[in-house]
Amino acid sequence: MGVVICSVYSPSENAIYQLTLYSEYIAAGTWPMDGIDITDEDANRFNGGNKPLGKMLGMVNGNLAWIDEPPMTQEQLIAHADVKKQSLINAAMQSINVLQLKLQTGRTLTDAENVKLNTIMDYIDAVTAIDVSDIPNVNLPDYWAE
Protein backbone atom coordinates (compact mmCIF):
# COMPACT_ATOMS: atom_id res chain seq x y z
CA MET A 1 0.00 0.00 0.00
CA GLY A 2 1.53 3.34 -1.09
CA VAL A 3 1.64 6.64 0.74
CA VAL A 4 -1.33 8.87 -0.02
CA ILE A 5 -0.31 12.45 -0.81
CA CYS A 6 -2.91 14.99 0.31
CA SER A 7 -0.79 18.12 0.61
CA VAL A 8 2.19 19.95 -0.83
CA TYR A 9 4.78 22.17 0.81
CA SER A 10 5.92 25.32 -0.97
CA PRO A 11 9.47 26.41 -0.03
CA SER A 12 8.98 29.85 -1.60
CA GLU A 13 5.78 30.48 0.39
CA ASN A 14 6.92 28.40 3.39
CA ALA A 15 3.39 27.04 3.56
CA ILE A 16 1.45 23.80 3.26
CA TYR A 17 -1.35 23.56 0.68
CA GLN A 18 -4.09 20.90 0.78
CA LEU A 19 -4.77 19.11 -2.49
CA THR A 20 -8.49 18.97 -1.64
CA LEU A 21 -8.54 22.76 -2.14
CA TYR A 22 -6.55 22.64 -5.40
CA SER A 23 -9.34 24.06 -7.59
CA GLU A 24 -9.90 26.97 -5.20
CA TYR A 25 -6.16 27.76 -5.14
CA ILE A 26 -6.02 27.60 -8.94
CA ALA A 27 -9.09 29.85 -9.27
CA ALA A 28 -7.48 32.35 -6.90
CA GLY A 29 -4.12 32.09 -8.66
CA THR A 30 -2.38 31.04 -5.45
CA TRP A 31 -1.34 27.43 -6.15
CA PRO A 32 2.44 27.25 -5.64
CA MET A 33 4.61 26.37 -8.63
CA ASP A 34 7.28 24.86 -6.36
CA GLY A 35 5.02 22.50 -4.38
CA ILE A 36 6.66 19.37 -2.96
CA ASP A 37 4.43 16.38 -2.17
CA ILE A 38 4.20 15.67 1.57
CA THR A 39 2.42 13.01 3.56
CA ASP A 40 -0.72 13.56 5.63
CA GLU A 41 1.39 12.85 8.68
CA ASP A 42 3.80 15.69 7.84
CA ALA A 43 0.92 18.03 6.96
CA ASN A 44 -0.61 17.41 10.38
CA ARG A 45 2.71 17.53 12.25
CA PHE A 46 3.85 20.79 10.66
CA ASN A 47 0.63 22.79 10.58
CA GLY A 48 0.84 26.31 12.04
CA GLY A 49 -0.99 25.34 15.23
CA ASN A 50 1.85 23.01 16.20
CA LYS A 51 4.66 25.54 15.68
CA PRO A 52 7.07 25.61 18.62
CA LEU A 53 8.04 29.03 19.98
CA GLY A 54 11.01 30.48 18.10
CA LYS A 55 10.72 27.99 15.25
CA MET A 56 9.47 28.11 11.69
CA LEU A 57 8.75 25.56 9.01
CA GLY A 58 11.68 24.68 6.77
CA MET A 59 13.52 21.89 5.03
CA VAL A 60 16.46 19.92 6.42
CA ASN A 61 18.05 17.29 4.19
CA GLY A 62 14.96 17.25 1.97
CA ASN A 63 12.54 16.76 4.87
CA LEU A 64 10.15 19.16 6.56
CA ALA A 65 11.45 20.28 9.94
CA TRP A 66 11.03 22.99 12.55
CA ILE A 67 14.04 25.28 12.18
CA ASP A 68 15.13 28.33 14.16
CA GLU A 69 13.46 31.58 13.13
CA PRO A 70 15.95 34.14 11.89
CA PRO A 71 16.49 37.15 14.13
CA MET A 72 14.11 40.02 13.43
CA THR A 73 15.36 42.88 11.31
CA GLN A 74 15.55 46.38 12.79
CA GLU A 75 12.38 47.29 10.87
CA GLN A 76 10.55 44.25 12.27
CA LEU A 77 11.72 45.06 15.80
CA ILE A 78 10.46 48.64 15.42
CA ALA A 79 7.10 47.46 14.04
CA HIS A 80 6.75 44.94 16.87
CA ALA A 81 7.58 47.58 19.50
CA ASP A 82 5.14 50.03 17.89
CA VAL A 83 2.32 47.44 18.04
CA LYS A 84 3.17 46.73 21.71
CA LYS A 85 3.23 50.48 22.45
CA GLN A 86 -0.21 50.97 20.87
CA SER A 87 -1.55 47.95 22.73
CA LEU A 88 -0.40 49.44 26.05
CA ILE A 89 -2.06 52.76 25.21
CA ASN A 90 -5.29 50.99 24.18
CA ALA A 91 -5.37 48.99 27.43
CA ALA A 92 -4.89 52.16 29.46
CA MET A 93 -7.62 53.93 27.50
CA GLN A 94 -10.00 51.02 28.10
CA SER A 95 -9.41 51.25 31.83
CA ILE A 96 -10.64 54.85 31.95
CA ASN A 97 -13.65 54.57 29.62
CA VAL A 98 -16.12 54.66 32.50
CA LEU A 99 -14.42 57.70 34.02
CA GLN A 100 -14.48 59.50 30.67
CA LEU A 101 -18.17 58.69 30.23
CA LYS A 102 -18.86 59.95 33.72
CA LEU A 103 -17.12 63.26 32.92
CA GLN A 104 -18.89 63.58 29.56
CA THR A 105 -22.28 63.28 31.26
CA GLY A 106 -21.36 66.06 33.68
CA ARG A 107 -20.93 63.89 36.75
CA THR A 108 -18.26 64.60 39.31
CA LEU A 109 -15.38 62.24 39.90
CA THR A 110 -14.44 61.15 43.39
CA ASP A 111 -10.96 61.97 44.69
CA ALA A 112 -9.90 58.35 44.08
CA GLU A 113 -11.28 58.46 40.53
CA ASN A 114 -9.41 61.72 39.86
CA VAL A 115 -6.17 60.16 41.10
CA LYS A 116 -6.75 57.09 38.93
CA LEU A 117 -7.57 59.18 35.85
CA ASN A 118 -4.52 61.40 36.27
CA THR A 119 -2.22 58.44 36.95
CA ILE A 120 -3.39 56.65 33.83
CA MET A 121 -3.21 59.81 31.73
CA ASP A 122 0.39 60.33 32.92
CA TYR A 123 1.11 56.72 31.94
CA ILE A 124 -0.45 57.25 28.48
CA ASP A 125 1.61 60.43 28.01
CA ALA A 126 4.79 58.60 29.01
CA VAL A 127 4.15 55.66 26.68
CA THR A 128 3.15 57.97 23.82
CA ALA A 129 6.45 59.86 24.17
CA ILE A 130 8.57 56.70 23.79
CA ASP A 131 10.52 56.61 20.52
CA VAL A 132 10.53 52.97 19.42
CA SER A 133 13.00 53.60 16.58
CA ASP A 134 15.85 53.11 19.08
CA ILE A 135 14.94 49.45 19.56
CA PRO A 136 16.38 47.32 21.22
CA ASN A 137 17.21 50.11 23.70
CA VAL A 138 13.52 50.78 24.31
CA ASN A 139 11.87 49.87 27.57
CA LEU A 140 8.10 49.73 27.22
CA PRO A 141 6.49 49.59 30.64
CA ASP A 142 3.99 46.85 31.33
CA TYR A 143 0.45 48.00 31.89
CA TRP A 144 -1.10 47.14 35.19
CA ALA A 145 -4.64 45.80 35.46
CA GLU A 146 -6.90 47.09 38.18
Side-chain angles (χ1 to χ4, degrees):
M1 186 182 216
V3 175
V4 177
I5 302 300
C6 296
S7 302
V8 299
Y9 167 71
S10 167
S12 66
E13 298 295 324
N14 198 27
I16 295 174
Y17 294 79
Q18 295 179 2
L19 287 174
T20 57
L21 300 174
Y22 177 78
S23 59
E24 286 87 351
Y25 287 124
I26 290 295
T30 57
W31 185 255
M33 293 294 121
D34 62 346
I36 300 167
D37 292 345
I38 62 171
T39 65
D40 251 358
E41 181 182 337
D42 274 351
N44 288 330
R45 180 175 173 212
F46 293 104
N47 73 49
N50 295 331
K51 184 176 99 56
L53 185 64
K55 300 290 184 178
M56 63 182 270
L57 187 56
M59 298 285 286
V60 175
N61 299 324
N63 296 309
L64 283 179
W66 292 119
I67 61 174
D68 292 335
E69 290 179 343
M72 284 196 267
T73 65
Q74 183 70 10
E75 292 77 23
Q76 289 170 322
L77 289 169
I78 290 170
H80 181 73
D82 200 39
V83 167
K84 168 86 173 171
K85 176 180 167 178
Q86 192 57 53
S87 174
L88 292 170
I89 292 168
N90 291 345
M93 290 297 294
Q94 284 286 31
S95 73
I96 59 173
N97 280 346
V98 172
L99 298 177
Q100 290 174 315
L101 182 60
K102 198 171 178 181
L103 287 171
Q104 289 171 349
T105 58
R107 297 183 69 190
T108 305
L109 297 181
T110 66
D111 289 342
E113 289 170 329
N114 265 316
V115 168
K116 178 181 178 181
L117 181 60
N118 284 312
T119 300
I120 294 172
M121 290 307 300
D122 289 344
Y123 171 84
I124 291 170
D125 289 342
V127 173
T128 301
I130 294 172
D131 179 7
V132 295
S133 66
D134 192 28
I135 204 78
N137 301 317
V138 173
N139 184 19
L140 289 170
D142 288 328
Y143 183 70
W144 68 98
E146 291 187 43

